[in-house]
Amino acid sequence: MSVAIGAELEDRVAVASNWRLVWWRFRRHHLAMASAGFLIVLYLVVLFPSFFSTQDPERTDARQAFIPVQSIHLFADGALSPWVPAIAGKRNPTTLRMEWTTDPGKRVAIRFLGQGVEWKFLGLFRTNVHLVASADPGQRIFLLGSDRLGRDQWSRIMHGTQTSMTVGLVAVALSVILGVVLGGLSGYVGGRTDQVIQRIIELLQSVPTIPIWLALSAALPRDWTPIQVFFAITVILSLVGWTTLGREVRGRFLALREEDFVLAARLAGCSRMRIILRHMVPTFTSHIIATSSLAIPVMIINETSLSFLGLGIRPPAISLGVLLQEAQNIQTLALAPWLLTPGLVVIVSVLAFNLVGDGLRDAADPYSN
């Protein structure tokens, strides 16, 4: 019986496509699978940040500055009735600063899939449905507290996640395009083209990365809109980040250009770009995907670092780096440690990307042991 099952498995492996073999190997990596599930949820937030927000992220009220975290409770009096504790505040007679505390004795009812601030679904039509909303439209809730201007930290993190994760994804996509095209031309064409592209790569890799970011970011006009800055930062990160993949593609193409299938495509009259994109690149697409998944967290950290230093995406735009600017001094951290939450989001998302990248890298060669 076991011999028959083993023969059946061998037959399935023999006729399975490369992508199916990669998937079978990837799903054996349990940490990578769990991280992939987390990233799916994360990019749902990227697609619909307003749905996951509880209120307008730009709404300010200095009278509600540094309100502490209101944690969600699902049950009340033995019944399913979600609520958060009410906030009670009193002014410190010495510092004259308003000090807030949660009052578990008083409850603020909340609703899942409740109604709140109106927003556009995919920019097409308006809706006011939110994942979590206050049952009383006039009562604000702060699931992760508020900042110095009374803005809801939870809602700002949802929108900041959209910006930071999108920058990382788009920057890596541009880097992959540059790396595959320029690295492919360098390895396939050779000669003077190879020399020029390799000297460019060596020049970019010899200059320290941080000064390049600082110089290019500081050169951006201060009167640019947040959208213009967003695309400029994306281009800067991609222009600096394509060199490693370009070198890897070049090395692979040097080995592939003498293969029989490449010679057959050349004799059939295929152009250079068609041979590169349709015949040579697909032979190591899984490796490119694995490399890209490991490059995304690097791009996310780069954007967060630039925005934290004030050289990347700037207010009023929201990103995780912009949100971390609120936690730059000890006094603020002492009053509102929850302002460090965006840093935790960066750490967890980068860790998830790295675990998925490790799983993809191991699965990219499904015939290895």
Side-chain angles (χ1 to χ4, degrees):
M1 184 67 177
S2 60
V3 176
I5 294 177
E8 182 181 354
L9 291 176
E10 289 182 2
D11 291 340
R12 288 182 62 193
V13 171
V15 299
S17 64
N18 183 64
W19 288 109
R20 185 173 294 274
L21 292 173
V22 169
W23 165 245
W24 286 345
R25 189 172 179 84
F26 177 75
R27 68 183 183 183
R28 291 164 52 190
H29 197 303
H30 300 301
L31 277 177
M33 286 292 292
S35 300
F38 171 78
L39 291 178
I40 290 173
V41 174
L42 191 67
Y43 275 95
L44 285 176
V45 174
V46 171
L47 288 174
F48 312 107
S50 297
F51 170 73
F52 291 93
S53 302
T54 58
Q55 53 188 284
D56 183 358
E58 297 293 347
R59 180 180 175 182
T60 61
D61 188 349
R63 295 171 299 178
Q64 295 181 312
F66 299 132
I67 288 181
V69 175
Q70 293 176 281
S71 56
I72 296 178
H73 298 73
L74 297 178
F75 298 94
D77 301 326
L80 180 61
S81 179
W83 58 279
V84 296
I87 297 297
K90 64 178 181 178
R91 194 168 297 279
N92 189 308
T94 302
T95 63
L96 299 181
R97 181 183 293 115
M98 184 65 73
E99 296 179 348
W100 301 93
T101 57
T102 56
D103 185 2
K106 297 180 180 180
R107 301 169 180 173
V108 178
I110 62 174
R111 297 286 182 268
F112 292 104
L113 299 179
Q115 296 183 349
V117 179
E118 195 176 74
W119 57 281
K120 279 191 174 183
F121 181 82
L122 295 177
L124 299 176
F125 56 89
R126 296 186 177 275
T127 181
N128 61 358
V129 177
H130 295 260
L131 179 63
V132 179
S134 174
D136 180 7
Q139 179 71 49
R140 300 178 70 187
I141 58 174
F142 300 91
L143 301 182
L144 285 179
S146 65
D147 62 8
R148 59 186 176 85
L149 296 178
R151 296 172 296 193
D152 178 43
Q153 186 74 352
W154 171 270
S155 300
R156 290 177 65 78
I157 287 177
M158 295 299 104
H159 287 78
T161 299
Q162 181 188 46
T163 303
S164 295
M165 298 302 155
T166 304
V167 167
L169 203 60
V170 175
V172 167
L174 293 177
S175 295
V176 168
I177 294 173
L178 289 173
V180 169
V181 173
L182 295 180
L185 288 174
S186 178
Y188 180 75
V189 177
R192 184 169 298 179
T193 301
D194 182 31
Q195 293 292 327
V196 171
I197 294 176
Q198 292 309 303
R199 299 296 82 77
I200 293 175
I201 291 177
E202 291 168 1
L203 177 64
L204 291 175
Q205 291 185 336
S206 63
V207 179
T209 308
I210 293 179
I212 292 180
W213 294 337
L214 297 179
L216 294 177
S217 300
L220 299 179
R222 304 298 297 182
D223 58 346
W224 274 16
T225 65
I227 295 178
Q228 290 174 314
V229 174
F230 173 90
F231 283 107
I233 294 298
T234 302
V235 171
I236 290 172
L237 294 176
S238 60
L239 287 177
V240 176
W242 68 273
T243 55
T244 301
L245 181 60
R247 276 271 171 90
E248 294 176 354
V249 172
R250 173 183 179 268
R252 189 66 66 92
F253 273 37
L254 288 175
L256 288 176
R257 67 181 182 181
E258 305 301 330
E259 295 289 336
D260 292 340
F261 72 93
V262 175
L263 178 60
R266 190 183 304 130
L267 294 175
C270 296
S271 64
R272 288 178 174 176
M273 291 303 298
R274 181 176 178 84
I275 293 175
I276 291 174
L277 297 178
R278 294 295 300 273
H279 298 280
M280 301 178 75
V281 171
T283 61
F284 58 102
T285 303
S286 56
H287 173 77
I288 294 175
I289 293 175
T291 303
S292 302
S293 64
L294 291 172
I296 291 175
V298 176
M299 295 295 184
I300 292 172
I301 291 178
N302 293 343
E303 181 279 323
T304 303
S305 303
L306 288 174
S307 299
F308 176 75
L309 295 173
L311 296 171
I313 296 174
R314 300 185 287 265
I318 306 173
S319 74
L320 296 177
V322 171
L323 295 180
L324 283 173
Q325 290 180 0
E326 297 288 333
Q328 283 187 341
N329 59 78
I330 300 298
Q331 183 179 10
T332 301
L333 291 181
L335 293 173
W338 53 85
L339 295 180
L340 284 174
T341 309
L344 180 63
V345 175
V346 173
I347 293 172
V348 174
S349 60
V350 167
L351 179 61
F353 270 115
N354 283 325
L355 290 173
V356 170
D358 287 340
L360 287 173
R361 183 177 55 192
D362 294 341
D365 184 6
Y367 296 103
S368 64
N369 294 325

